[in-house]
Amino acid sequence: MIFYECTQDNDMKNETKKTLGKKLKENLQSILEILTAEDILTYQFYTKDNVLCTAIYIDQITDKELLGSLIAKPLSLIDAPTTLEDAMKELYFPENSCEEDVTTICNKILAGNVALLIDNLQGAIVLGAKKISSRSVAEPPTSMTIKGPREGFIEDIKINMGLVRKRLKTAQLQFDMIQCGKQSQTSIAVVYLSGIANKKIVQQVKDKIASYEIDEVVDSSYIGKFLTARPLSLFKQVGTTEKPDIFCAKILEGRIGLIVDGSPIVLTVPYLIAEDFQGPQDYFASPYRATVSRFIRLFAILISLLLPAYYVAAQLFKLQLIPFGLLMTISASTKNIPLSPSIELFFLLVILEILLEASILMPKQVSLALSVIGALVLGDTAVKAGIVSTPAIIIVAISGISAYAVPELVGTSSIIRIILLVLAGSIGTFGILLGIALILYALLTMESFGTPLLAPFAPLVKKDLKDSLFKADLFDLKERPAVFKSKNKKRLLQKKGVENEQDKT
C-alpha cells in the first residue's frame, strides 16, 4: 500500500522538523506538548536491568491487553536492548515501525497506535494495537436482494478493504492510502486494478482530493463532492454502493473505487447514469428478466417525473390529451375543488415530501403510525372535505412510489418533478418539452473523468449496449466496457480445446 498525505494541521506543520533524542523525559515532553488531551495516557515500566520505558496511547481506541501482554511483559523480562531494532525483535507485532519525527509519531498515536519510548534510545517504536469498536458485517438496508451475496460495507476501512481483498485475490489489486482532513486525518483507500484501470484517471482522483483542504471528512459524500466537475448540478457524477460484490464488479470493469474510513458507502468513478437502472440482483437472474426489470425502472422514473406535469398540462391547456371517458371521471371529481390543478398537485407533492422526511427521521414505531395517519386519515379527510381531488391523490401516490423503483435517483427526481410541474402549470405542454430539453442538454454535456454520463447511448458505443438497459448473456460480455478505455479489454476467454454447448448449437 502506498501512502499519500493530503492535508495536515497547521500546528503539526510547525513541528515537522522536530525529532526525538535519546533522553526519555525530553522525548515524552515533546510529544505531550502536542498531545495535550486528557485521554492521552502514559504507561511506565522497567526492563530487567531497571531501564525506564514509557508507552503513550489513547485510552478509548487502544487495546490495553495487548499493551500489557505483548509490550510491557516481554521487555520487563529482558535487559534493555541496545537499539530500537533489537527491541522490535522482542515484540511480536505485525504492524511496527521505528520513527523519530515528532509529528509522525503524534499522528500515529492519534490513529490508535502505541508509541514506545526507551531511555537512552533515540526515536520511538510505533506498534499497531488499535481496538476500535465497529458493527458486524450485515446486509445493507439500501440494497437488499433475494439472490446473491448479502454482505455489506461497514464503517471500518480495514474490514471494508478485507471484504474487497476476499473477492479479488490478485496481486493487481492496489490500495493507495490517502490521509485527508486537517483535524480528522481520515484514511481514504483509492482502489484499482493495475493493468486494467487507467493510470491517468487514478492520478486525477488523487490530485483532485489533494487539491482541497478541509477540517474533517465525516463521510464519503464529502470526497464525492471533491470529485464532481459540476458541484451545483442536480445530477450526481460519482457512483455509490454499499455492496462489496457490486464494488468489485465495477473495479473489474476498469473503474477506480474509494473507500473512506467511517463510511459504509464507497465511491466509484467514472460514473454512468445507466448503472443506477441496474439492480443488485440483475446478474443473478436470467438476462431476459434483468432486461425487463431495467426497462420497468426506466418506465417508472419517467412516470414519476412526467405524470404530475402531464396531468396539470392536460387539465389547464390541452384536455384532448386525456381520453374522453377518463376526462368525464376527472371532471366529476374536481368539480367543487377550490384549488387550481397546478396548486393542488404542488401542495400534495410538498405534503408527500414532508411525510417521507418525517418517516425517515422519526423512530420506526412512530413512523409506522405516521404513515397510516398521512396516507389514510389525512388523504381520505382531505378528499371528503373537498380540499383536494381523488385523481390528484392517485397521481401523486403513483409518482411517489415510481420514484423508489430507482432509489439512487430519488433525490434528483423529486426536484425535477416539481420543476416540470411548475413549467407545465405555466406554459403547458411546451413547458414539459422545454424542461425535458434542458435535462437532456445538462446530461449530454456532463462527464465523469472524461466519460460522458449518458454513455453508451450518447455517444453511441454499440459494444457497451450489451450491459446497459439491455442485459446480454454472460458469454456475450467477453470485453470490458469500451468507455473506460481499459488497456486490458478481455475479461472472458474460452480455453483452447474446450467446447461448450453454445458452440455445438
Side-chain angles (χ1 to χ4, degrees), residues 93 243 267 411 473 489:
F93 273 86
K243 289 178 67 65
L267 311 176
D473 187 73
K489 295 182 180 180

Side-chain angles (χ1 to χ4, degrees), residues 77-365:
L77 298 176
I78 63 171
D79 292 337
T82 56
T83 64
L84 291 179
E85 288 74 14
D86 291 338
M88 288 172 62
K89 294 178 182 179
E90 303 294 331
L91 307 172
Y92 301 102
F93 273 86
E95 295 182 26
N96 55 57
S97 62
C98 296
E99 304 290 347
E100 293 186 6
D101 182 67
V102 174
T103 301
T104 303
I105 294 170
C106 290
N107 285 335
K108 292 193 174 184
I109 292 173
L110 291 171
N113 299 292
V114 175
L116 177 63
L117 304 176
I118 302 175
D119 201 13
N120 300 322
L121 295 185
Q122 185 171 355
I125 301 175
V126 179
L127 302 161
K130 301 177 186 177
K131 186 181 181 181
I132 301 175
S133 59
S134 60
R135 63 185 176 94
S136 59
V137 176
E139 185 175 11
T142 57
S143 303
M144 292 187 177
T145 60
I146 298 174
K147 293 183 179 180
R150 288 175 171 79
E151 288 181 331
F153 288 117
I154 62 171
E155 290 76 11
D156 189 284
I157 189 171
K158 295 292 184 181
I159 295 177
N160 291 344
M161 290 166 63
L163 292 172
V164 176
R165 179 67 72 179
K166 185 176 74 171
R167 285 168 172 78
L168 300 177
K169 302 178 182 69
T170 170
Q172 291 180 292
L173 181 61
Q174 303 294 322
F175 293 98
D176 292 353
M177 303 303 296
I178 296 176
Q179 298 292 332
C180 193
K182 291 190 297 181
Q183 309 297 340
S184 63
Q185 290 293 303
T186 304
S187 297
I188 303 168
V190 181
V191 190
Y192 61 95
L193 286 169
S194 61
I196 295 179
N198 191 321
K199 290 185 178 180
K200 291 183 180 179
I201 299 180
V202 174
Q203 191 58 47
Q204 286 177 10
V205 170
K206 296 174 186 176
D207 292 342
K208 276 205 168 188
I209 297 174
S211 64
Y212 292 93
E213 189 170 313
I214 188 172
D215 281 343
E216 181 185 16
V217 178
V218 178
D219 184 73
S220 59
S221 59
Y222 284 56
I223 303 301
K225 291 294 183 182
F226 296 163
L227 302 177
T228 55
R230 298 183 184 179
L232 299 179
S233 174
L234 284 175
F235 302 95
K236 69 175 190 176
Q237 297 151 62
V238 177
T240 59
T241 182
E242 288 189 68
K243 289 178 67 65
D245 56 306
I246 295 177
F247 180 75
C248 292
K250 292 183 179 181
I251 296 298
L252 287 167
E253 289 181 343
R255 307 192 207 203
I256 294 89
L258 292 102
I259 304 175
V260 180
D261 195 18
S263 175
I265 299 174
V266 299
L267 311 176
T268 55
V269 291
Y271 162 74
L272 303 178
I273 198 168
E275 67 189 67
D276 285 338
F277 294 91
Q278 300 170 355
Q281 62 182 25
D282 285 358
Y283 298 92
F284 305 99
S286 70
Y288 306 106
R289 175 58 190 171
T291 300
V292 171
S293 296
R294 291 178 183 182
F295 274 96
I296 288 174
R297 294 178 195 121
L298 176 61
F299 183 65
I301 202 70
L302 292 176
I303 289 177
S304 175
L305 295 177
L306 299 177
L307 185 59
Y310 178 90
Y311 174 78
V312 169
Q315 273 209 300
L316 292 179
F317 298 95
K318 207 78 172 176
L319 290 174
Q320 298 90 333
L321 294 173
I322 303 176
F324 182 76
L326 181 60
L327 179 62
M328 292 297 99
T329 304
I330 293 174
S331 299
S333 300
T334 59
K335 186 176 181 181
N336 298 317
I337 301 300
L339 303 175
S340 67
S342 57
I343 295 177
E344 181 185 19
L345 263 292
F346 182 81
F347 171 74
L348 287 174
L349 286 175
V350 171
I351 293 297
L352 175 65
E353 294 298 327
I354 292 173
L355 288 173
L356 291 174
E357 287 296 319
S359 62
I360 292 170
L361 298 176
M362 280 189 172
K364 290 183 179 180
Q365 296 82 356

